Amino acid sequence: MARLSEIEKRQLVAATKHRLAKPAPQPRPMSPREYVEFATFAARFARGGKPVRFVGAEWKL
């Protein structure tokens, strides 16, 4: 593991003391209807099928 120099230690301490001016906004929770509409819309995109590439001779099934 690398050792920190004195400057890096001070920078790390200063960064942990620094507060953000405004916290990030929280996402709005979806109603069940909105979720179903979103899932239906998202299902139209690429399915990303991955072929199975193994031969059963190597497996003890």
Side-chain angles (χ1 to χ4, degrees):
M1 190 169 175
R3 292 187 183 185
L4 298 176
S5 68
E6 290 302 318
I7 295 172
E8 292 170 331
K9 287 178 185 177
R10 285 191 303 240
Q11 290 173 340
L12 186 60
V13 170
T16 57
K17 290 180 181 177
H18 178 69
R19 289 277 194 188
L20 294 175
K22 184 165 81 169
Q26 295 295 321
R28 184 175 61 88
M30 285 193 229
S31 70
R33 179 184 173 97
E34 289 173 330
Y35 178 77
V36 170
E37 289 174 358
F38 168 75
T40 304
F41 172 74
R44 290 187 234 161
F45 295 104
R47 299 196 183 272
K50 181 178 177 184
V52 177
R53 295 183 187 140
F54 72 89
V55 179
E58 298 138 9
W59 298 89
K60 295 181 181 180
L61 299 175

